[in-house]
Amino acid sequence: FPQVLDGEFAVVIVDLAARCVILSTDIFATKPLHVAFEGPYFAVASYESALRAAGFSVIQKVKPNCVCRIDLDNLSFLEIGTVYEFSAAQYRADVDGWIDAFERAVRKRVERCRERVFIGLSSGYDSGAISLALNKLPQPYNAYSVLGKEREDVLKQRTDRMCAQSIHRFIVPEESVRVRARKYLDAHVEPLFYKTYSARGDYDEFNLRLHDDSGATGLSMVCEQARLDGCKVYLSGQGADEIMSDYGFNGKRIYPHSNFGGLYPQNLAEMFPWPSFFGSSQESYLMKEEHVAGAYGIEARYPFLDRRVVQEFLALDHRVKNARYKSALRCYLDRNNFPTAFDVKIGF
């Protein structure tokens, strides 16, 4: 049944008649799920810290795109299937299908939502596309921009395009604000370490603490203000870099954990899935988004990781993918004349 679910989820189904427990996350494990075994006992929780507090020490995380089964009679733990099988065939000559899928992905994550939605708004591609899709619905939302490296002229043009009843706020990252955000993470987020690596084998990083990541601090500042403003649902841009650019372009890596420099091959099946499609920075940064947002009582949703959005991108001919940096996103923004700082990658 997880194969017919559509969205972000982590589920545990206890089937006493069949004497088993079924565990599954969504395709990319956007919602974490951990399982632990100790003698005749087992437990399942979102966070590893909850299992350690319950006295368990042997803990494993349920893998992305994986359906698992625990036998209640002998506590065997088996992977019994996948949530979704992507096709690596590249045949689409235009981005129309991707654009339709993306706008539908944003719509399904906000329509009939009883809580106020917000985004972190930069001058780049990912948040710009989400803002554009929300404006076209139209769906009122809050947008927060952290001043510093961002193009303020682009942000001003974007806020002028926001739909009615939407709100934009600048966050000034003064040192006192950053210190408060880091202290909040220290108090409310369990110790976590990123695991980022490259298929090229010349880079791996397994000891960067989430609390020391400037991106986590920036997100903490945004979530703090969003919560004060009564927002509880966050539309994240996570996944766009991992899937649509591989943190590079035309073979040149922007960051060292890029796998192929954003140059998609003619035969995608030869390298699919690359490490950061499910793991590496995808898994690490999803962990960041979930734990930081969760610490503020905020639910994160991920339109770029919608299964149809991802499949439509994979289906693009390699020449379409390689035409420009984040070509599908670029086409979407260009077609709607949406102000953007093109061909740059800016983080917190």
Side-chain angles (χ1 to χ4, degrees), residues 64-79:
N65 203 27
C66 187
V67 182
C68 302
R69 181 181 187 274
I70 299 174
D71 189 304
L72 290 177
D73 293 321
N74 57 28
L75 296 192
S76 62
F77 182 71
L78 298 173
E79 297 177 7

Side-chain angles (χ1 to χ4, degrees), residues 10-12 23-25 31-35 44-46 60-62:
V11 293
V12 179
L23 305 89
S24 180
T25 68
K31 305 303 172 190
L33 193 60
H34 293 82
V35 60
V44 183
S46 292
Q60 58 184 304
K61 188 177 181 181
V62 175

Side-chain angles (χ1 to χ4, degrees), residues 47-321:
Y47 296 155
E48 185 176 338
S49 57
L51 297 176
R52 296 200 181 280
F56 291 88
S57 58
V58 182
I59 301 169
Q60 58 184 304
K61 188 177 181 181
V62 175
K63 296 177 183 178
N65 203 27
C66 187
V67 182
C68 302
R69 181 181 187 274
I70 299 174
D71 189 304
L72 290 177
D73 293 321
N74 57 28
L75 296 192
S76 62
F77 182 71
L78 298 173
E79 297 177 7
I80 61 172
T82 58
V83 181
Y84 187 79
E85 291 291 342
F86 287 106
S87 169
Q90 302 179 109
Y91 58 92
R92 288 197 184 278
D94 62 66
V95 300
D96 295 350
W98 183 87
I99 290 175
D100 178 69
F102 179 72
E103 290 188 336
R104 287 175 182 269
V106 172
R107 183 186 305 117
K108 78 172 70 167
R109 283 162 177 79
V110 299
E111 65 181 355
R112 295 187 295 275
C113 181
R114 69 187 183 197
E115 304 292 351
R116 182 79 174 185
V117 173
F118 75 95
I119 65 173
L121 183 63
S122 73
S123 50
Y125 291 63
D126 311 339
S127 64
I130 297 175
S131 177
L132 171 57
L134 290 171
N135 294 339
K136 292 181 71 175
L137 282 174
Q139 168 69 41
Y141 61 101
N142 283 24
Y144 301 95
S145 302
V146 179
L147 289 178
K149 301 177 182 178
E150 297 294 344
R151 288 267 306 273
E152 292 187 47
D153 58 326
V154 173
L155 289 172
K156 175 62 169 59
Q157 294 172 50
R158 287 185 167 186
T159 57
D160 289 343
R161 297 275 293 270
M162 290 173 68
C163 58
Q165 300 180 341
S166 295
I167 297 170
H168 177 258
R169 295 192 193 280
F170 282 111
I171 296 175
V172 181
E174 297 176 346
E175 185 58 23
S176 60
V177 178
R178 289 187 177 275
V179 169
R180 186 172 69 245
R182 286 195 293 267
K183 285 184 176 180
Y184 189 90
L185 296 183
D186 286 336
H188 295 88
V189 177
E190 63 192 69
L192 294 163
F193 294 88
Y194 294 163
K195 298 177 181 178
T196 56
Y197 46 91
S198 172
R200 297 188 179 190
D202 58 354
Y203 177 85
D204 62 72
E205 176 64 71
F206 296 106
N207 57 8
L208 176 62
R209 203 171 68 110
L210 178 148
H211 301 70
D212 299 325
D213 177 14
S214 60
T217 302
L219 181 57
S220 180
M221 292 188 291
V222 169
C223 287
E224 177 187 39
Q225 186 60 57
R227 189 175 71 170
L228 289 173
D229 291 340
C231 299
K232 295 182 180 179
V233 174
Y234 163 50
L235 293 190
S236 168
Q238 174 57 34
D241 288 311
E242 282 72 17
I243 293 171
M244 301 183 69
S245 74
D246 180 50
Y247 290 96
F249 176 64
N250 201 29
K252 182 179 180 180
R253 293 191 285 183
I254 298 173
Y255 291 117
H257 59 261
S258 174
N259 299 280
F260 51 93
L263 184 62
Y264 294 86
Q266 185 172 354
N267 184 359
L268 188 62
E270 291 179 349
M271 68 173 194
F272 180 81
W274 50 94
S276 58
F277 190 87
F278 289 120
S280 187
S281 60
Q282 183 82 274
E283 182 177 9
S284 295
Y285 297 160
L286 276 171
M287 180 173 64
K288 172 187 70 178
E289 302 278 296
E290 281 298 304
H291 283 76
V292 174
Y296 286 92
I298 288 167
E299 178 182 312
R301 300 179 180 180
Y302 304 93
F304 284 106
L305 294 177
D306 181 274
R307 64 186 178 190
R308 186 177 164 222
V309 170
V310 175
Q311 185 59 77
E312 287 288 343
F313 176 78
L314 294 177
L316 293 175
D317 184 271
H318 72 287
R319 289 164 293 193
V320 177
K321 290 186 177 82

